[in-house]
Amino acid sequence: VDIAITLYDGFTALDAVGPYEVLGRLPDARITFVATRPGPIRTDQASLALVAEASLAETSRPDLVLVPGGPGRLAGEGHDELVEWLRRVDAITTWTTSVCTGALFLAAAGLLTGRSATTHWSAREELAAYGAAVSEQRVVRDGKYVTAAGVSAGIDMALTLAGILSGDRTAQAIQLGIEYDPQPPYRAGSPVTAPPEIVDFLRARAVNQASGTASAPM
Amino acid sequence: VDIAITLYDGFTALDAVGPYEVLGRLPDARITFVATRPGPIRTDQASLALVAEASLAETSRPDLVLVPGGPGRLAGEGHDELVEWLRRVDAITTWTTSVCTGALFLAAAGLLTGRSATTHWSAREELAAYGAAVSEQRVVRDGKYVTAAGVSAGIDMALTLAGILSGDRTAQAIQLGIEYDPQPPYRAGSPVTAPPEIVDFLRARAVNQASGTASAPM
């Protein structure tokens, strides 16, 4: 499986690295980090850069594409090229996927119109405005399009894809290998379970920043 | 809070990036990725490099140190320097922490002798051999030493640290920001819950590779 994970300035690191950690352990997976131009690409927190190894132009035949989210999606530069590339490679991919607000790139490419999809909880209305049938599920599959909710949901999506691609036993071995037995110290990971004032605070922040990825601190 | 995350060739990406995603959202956190030499540092899967911004030598006063694990810990190069650096900066840190087999670096520096600590489930005996009191908890705190179990446990550790450093509300806001409402598609994330044959398979692999980080595929 040739997997391309797209990077752009201001992407959210865990959106990309969570799935990388899972999918990279699949037998025969070859993952390439791609961007409009190869080289170090800064995450949204700026203190970390991941290295893109290939340009979009030289990446023409991925089997699986994964687009991470992040506030950088609104900054603009190179995004037309990414959206155009997604539209082009989607014609030959087996799977086209996203994490968090990465779904909005797929939507902008016209790939989610009329399809079930999900995104970061604070960006659901924006995704719906593209004509997607927005779901509140954490991982949503509609044909070859698989989308995950915010940031950490990419890990769950990648394990789901691992099971589809290589079977339950391999996916379980990967889960055990990364000791993914989550025990969050709080019950605040979704707008349904988090204290309402924290939901309101982050929602206001997301709107104010138009970042589409509500973040701390409060 | 000045946070230093140490990188070395063959570290496991999610060990470092999970905590980065959480701790980087703390108010006033400054995270620096450090290594024996600055520049791109390859993860254990080789298809990804993270950029270290500073050398160990120029990083002398971190408040919090975090050491990721990974099979690269056995490859050797530069590790004496890392262990020596850990011993030195530990004298002034407020928190000294690790994820996965990163605990073995702390142990090699003599910092976990007689202390409660944890590591990747497949490396518990190795950690015990250093004189640590190995726990099967996912996140273990003993004074200023906080250790996490394998790979993905770094996210839970970082949320725990976020609560200690900045209060429960900030930690909850970060959890909601990264939509950390985990829903693994399998119940295979710990040796207690995974099918026994998968545990045996990964344990044999870990011993054969002496990697200390059992990984897929099977």
Side-chain angles (χ1 to χ4, degrees):
Chain A
V1 200
D2 270 312
I3 298 172
I5 300 179
T6 61
L7 302 181
Y8 51 89
D9 280 337
F11 75 100
T12 297
L14 186 55
D15 290 23
V17 172
Y20 163 78
E21 195 63 62
V22 171
L23 298 175
R25 293 169 187 242
L26 285 173
D28 306 319
R30 286 171 304 280
I31 298 190
T32 310
F33 285 85
V34 302
T36 51
R37 269 175 300 277
I41 311 287
R42 294 254 147 224
T43 72
D44 54 0
Q45 295 181 30
S47 52
L48 173 63
L50 269 63
V51 180
E53 299 285 340
S55 70
L56 295 176
E58 63 192 318
T59 309
S60 57
R61 306 201 65 80
D63 302 305
L64 190 158
V65 167
L66 187 147
V67 186
R73 73 184 174 83
L74 293 153
E77 202 182 337
H79 291 184
D80 291 348
E81 189 178 337
L82 174 55
V83 168
E84 183 48 48
W85 179 83
L86 287 169
R87 201 178 284 129
R88 197 165 65 242
V89 299
D90 180 67
I92 60 106
T93 60
T94 311
W95 300 97
T96 297
T97 74
S98 64
V99 177
C100 196
T101 52
L104 296 162
F105 285 99
L106 302 187
L111 306 177
L112 298 182
T113 311
R115 293 190 182 279
S116 290
T118 192
T119 185
H120 191 278
W121 61 268
S122 69
R124 286 175 188 157
E125 286 163 32
E126 196 177 349
L127 182 60
Y130 278 105
V134 177
S135 163
E136 298 190 1
Q137 296 294 305
R138 191 157 169 85
V139 177
V140 175
R141 177 182 173 185
D142 184 338
K144 75 172 195 175
Y145 301 94
V146 187
T147 51
V151 190
S152 60
I155 299 172
D156 294 330
M157 180 180 82
L159 283 168
T160 301
L161 285 167
I164 295 171
L165 291 167
S166 301
D168 291 341
R169 287 171 61 87
T170 296
Q172 288 170 316
I174 293 173
Q175 185 181 352
L176 182 58
I178 65 168
E179 208 164 339
Y180 186 48
D181 176 31
Q183 296 170 26
Y186 306 96
R187 197 161 163 273
S190 100
V192 177
T193 58
E197 70 275 17
I198 292 181
V199 179
D200 292 345
F201 172 81
L202 286 193
R203 203 185 294 276
R205 234 177 99 101
V207 170
N208 288 341
Q209 298 186 342
S211 80
T213 324
S215 68
M218 67 183 293
Chain B
V1 199
D2 269 313
I3 297 171
I5 300 179
T6 62
L7 302 182
Y8 52 88
D9 280 337
F11 75 100
T12 297
L14 186 56
D15 290 24
V17 172
Y20 163 78
E21 195 62 62
V22 171
L23 298 175
R25 294 170 187 240
L26 286 172
D28 306 320
R30 286 171 303 280
I31 298 190
T32 309
F33 285 85
V34 302
T36 51
R37 271 175 298 279
I41 311 288
R42 292 255 147 222
T43 71
D44 53 0
Q45 295 182 28
S47 52
L48 174 62
L50 270 61
V51 180
E53 300 285 339
S55 69
L56 295 176
E58 63 192 319
T59 308
S60 58
R61 305 200 65 79
D63 301 306
L64 189 157
V65 166
L66 187 146
V67 185
R73 72 185 174 83
L74 294 153
E77 200 183 338
H79 290 185
D80 291 348
E81 187 178 339
L82 174 54
V83 167
E84 184 48 49
W85 179 83
L86 287 169
R87 201 179 283 129
R88 196 165 66 242
V89 299
D90 180 66
I92 59 104
T93 60
T94 311
W95 300 97
T96 297
T97 74
S98 65
V99 177
C100 197
T101 53
L104 296 162
F105 285 99
L106 302 188
L111 306 178
L112 298 182
T113 312
R115 294 190 182 279
S116 291
T118 192
T119 185
H120 192 277
W121 60 269
S122 69
R124 286 176 188 157
E125 286 162 32
E126 197 177 347
L127 182 60
Y130 278 104
V134 176
S135 163
E136 298 190 1
Q137 296 294 306
R138 191 158 169 85
V139 176
V140 175
R141 177 181 174 186
D142 184 340
K144 75 172 194 174
Y145 301 94
V146 187
T147 51
V151 190
S152 61
I155 299 172
D156 294 330
M157 180 181 82
L159 283 169
T160 301
L161 284 167
I164 295 170
L165 290 167
S166 300
D168 291 341
R169 288 171 60 87
T170 295
Q172 288 170 315
I174 292 173
Q175 185 181 353
L176 182 58
I178 65 169
E179 208 164 339
Y180 186 48
D181 176 32
Q183 295 170 26
Y186 305 96
R187 197 159 164 274
S190 101
V192 177
T193 58
E197 69 275 17
I198 292 180
V199 179
D200 292 345
F201 171 81
L202 286 193
R203 203 185 295 275
R205 234 176 98 101
V207 170
N208 288 340
Q209 299 186 341
S211 80
T213 324
S215 68
M218 68 182 291

